[in-house]
Amino acid sequence: MNYKIALIRGDGIGPEVVNEAVGVMEAVGKKFGHTFTFVDVLLGGCATDAVGKSYPDGTAEKCKSCDAVLLGAVGGPKWGSDKPAEQRPETALLAIRKDLGLYANLRPAALRPAMLDACPLKKETAEKGIDLMMVRELTGGIYFGKRDKYQTEDRGIECTDLMAYSEKEIERIGRRAFELARLRRKKVSSVDKANVLETSRLWRSVMHRLAEEYSDVQYEDVLVDNCAMQLVRDPGQFDVVVTENMFGDILSDEASMVTGSIGLLPSASIGDTAPGLYEPIHGSAPDIAGQDKANPIATILSVAMMFRYSFQRAEEANAIEAAVDAVLAEGWRTPDIAESGVKAIGTKEMGRLIREHI
Ligand code: NAD
């Protein structure tokens, strides 16, 4: 197969980690007989510097002409909140997700076997294993609702952010979660705040309807505050966790921390038709950019997700994950995951070792 991949290298460590991920893709291509056409797409702070806006015209069309999109990271202090919206990298991230119709964000939080010691939880909790998939609704809810800011007579300035969800939006993300659970350990935990929020009560009723339809999948409702507790008490109980946009934003970061370093975790954002977008969960890490210190594993594992979810190529995905696990099992570490006193290797060397294992 020839796959056409849009590469958004972005800012900070983005270009460094994408380079290594591309190298791994090429190694997989060699082993399994695939070729790749790479299309460079300018987005983020680097686009602001080059053309004056973070989301240049034609970006979505360029990405839509590809089979999948790989993104490094965007952002940095140079393009902070004092800049107009069209120059800020975050504006571009929201725009690309919306324009590609990427309503489902998949964030696995898996404790890799060689990284048990990196888990900040009790040893016996870590040893039980952590392997969950957070499915976050990405294009609705309070982040996209109507906002208002106005002066009141007696209470100073007042602001509102509206959280809205439709049955249709809830059903499509719910289906994604149940379908994914069927490929995993067949359990869905749906997270809401149905004891308080009307949107959550609708969320829960739609999920219950789906749970009847997917009767082979075990289902439970979990209140968001309880979920936050359970993630640090016993994360091994979760398989697929599905939730709305803001809860998912917060809980997925919490889940990632229980697995150790953010430098290890990939993510996928997918829709119904357009190409999926694959990216590490970390940001552009300006503090270590350009120093060959960034951990490329999260981006490399994002490529594994691309093979699994966009190309339905589980064997290639497994090969990448096995190569990462083998390199970690041999004791190789980038500085972010190295124990004190252990000599760390750089971004390029980590990429080379993983390629070699493939
Ligand atoms: P960050 O994830 O960039 O960095 C947080 C800390 O983790 C830093 O100390 C950094 O050095 C370290 N780190 C991150 N990735 C690493 C890696 N691969 N290897 C080793 N260490 C790593 O988060 P931040 O500092 O809050 O944000 C920096 C910039 O990134 C901001 O402009 C922010 O808006 C942006 N950001 C972008 C995305 C994205 O592109 N999707 C996501 C989050 C943050």
Side-chain angles (χ1 to χ4, degrees):
M1 279 291 287
N2 179 265
Y3 296 111
K4 193 173 168 192
I5 315 282
L7 294 180
I8 302 177
R9 298 173 191 272
D11 310 314
I13 60 169
E16 297 168 61
V17 293
V18 167
N19 262 347
E20 298 316 311
V22 165
V24 165
M25 232 185 273
E26 279 166 343
V28 168
K30 224 173 178 180
K31 182 176 164 107
F32 291 91
H34 307 305
T35 51
F36 302 94
T37 306
F38 295 111
V39 178
D40 264 296
V41 176
L42 199 60
L43 183 146
C46 54
T48 299
D49 286 351
V51 299
K53 45 187 169 183
S54 61
Y55 191 59
D57 299 341
T59 300
E61 289 65 31
K62 233 174 167 180
C63 291
K64 281 180 187 167
S65 76
C66 296
D67 300 310
V69 183
L70 180 68
L71 187 150
V74 299
K78 189 175 169 194
W79 312 279
S81 51
D82 55 322
K83 293 277 183 297
E86 74 272 12
Q87 293 181 15
R88 291 203 299 266
E90 295 73 22
T91 307
L93 270 187
L94 291 179
I96 186 91
R97 287 173 185 162
K98 185 163 176 287
D99 287 349
L100 297 184
L102 306 173
Y103 63 82
N105 184 225
L106 275 42
R107 271 181 55 168
L111 186 58
R112 309 217 75 82
M115 297 298 300
L116 278 189
D117 287 345
C119 176
L121 304 181
K122 281 189 189 141
K123 196 162 174 268
E124 57 267 30
T125 308
E127 277 169 357
K128 278 204 269 174
I130 303 168
D131 181 10
L132 66 89
M133 176 71 83
M134 190 73 71
V135 179
R136 166 189 169 195
E137 201 289 327
L138 203 57
T139 53
I142 198 163
Y143 292 175
F144 289 88
K146 193 165 171 285
R147 304 182 202 301
D148 213 349
K149 182 176 180 181
Y150 46 86
Q151 183 72 47
T152 65
E153 271 186 12
D154 52 350
R155 301 182 309 283
I157 294 173
E158 200 166 274
C159 296
T160 60
D161 296 281
L162 183 74
M163 184 194 272
Y165 267 110
S166 67
E167 278 183 284
K168 201 175 150 201
E169 281 174 304
I170 300 168
E171 182 173 337
R172 66 181 184 179
I173 189 81
R175 282 196 186 282
R176 284 281 177 180
F178 279 97
E179 295 289 343
L180 270 168
R182 278 185 168 164
L183 300 174
R184 296 172 47 97
R185 303 194 305 280
K186 291 195 171 178
K187 181 178 174 190
V188 167
S189 307
S190 167
V191 176
D192 62 38
K193 189 72 182 169
N195 51 346
V196 178
L197 301 175
E198 201 56 50
T199 43
S200 279
R201 284 190 275 276
L202 179 65
W203 180 279
R204 196 175 272 207
S205 73
V206 174
M207 289 295 165
H208 283 192
R209 186 155 39 81
L210 290 174
E212 276 179 30
E213 194 182 315
Y214 291 84
S215 55
D216 54 320
V217 176
Q218 192 191 336
Y219 174 84
E220 65 177 356
D221 299 309
V222 186
L223 288 173
V224 62
D225 36 351
N226 184 26
C227 185
M229 281 196 293
Q230 296 302 328
L231 279 172
V232 289
R233 197 187 69 82
D234 179 21
Q237 68 184 286
F238 293 117
D239 177 19
V240 173
V241 179
V242 61
T243 191
E244 65 88 39
N245 203 343
M246 183 169 64
F247 295 163
D249 190 10
I250 299 165
L251 293 176
S252 54
D253 267 15
E254 186 191 0
S256 63
M257 277 323 290
V258 305
T259 65
S261 164
I262 59 171
L264 292 176
L265 293 176
S267 79
S269 299
I270 51 186
D272 286 330
T273 48
L277 185 146
Y278 298 83
E279 59 180 319
I281 68 156
H282 59 73
S284 57
D287 51 334
I288 55 166
Q291 300 170 39
D292 194 39
K293 282 185 181 163
N295 189 341
I297 291 180
T299 316
I300 289 169
L301 290 174
S302 300
V303 170
M305 289 188 85
M306 180 187 288
F307 276 103
R308 180 165 284 123
Y309 297 115
S310 275
F311 309 150
Q312 281 75 47
R313 295 270 179 189
E315 217 183 317
E316 287 82 339
N318 291 340
I320 296 172
E321 287 161 359
V324 167
D325 283 337
V327 170
L328 291 175
E330 285 170 4
W332 300 107
R333 300 284 186 271
T334 42
D336 56 315
I337 53 173
E339 282 170 40
S340 63
V342 174
K343 191 175 175 297
I345 56 171
T347 312
K348 290 186 186 137
E349 182 61 3
M350 182 56 93
R352 190 190 68 75
L353 287 167
I354 294 169
R355 281 198 299 278
E356 213 173 78
H357 269 277
I358 286 168

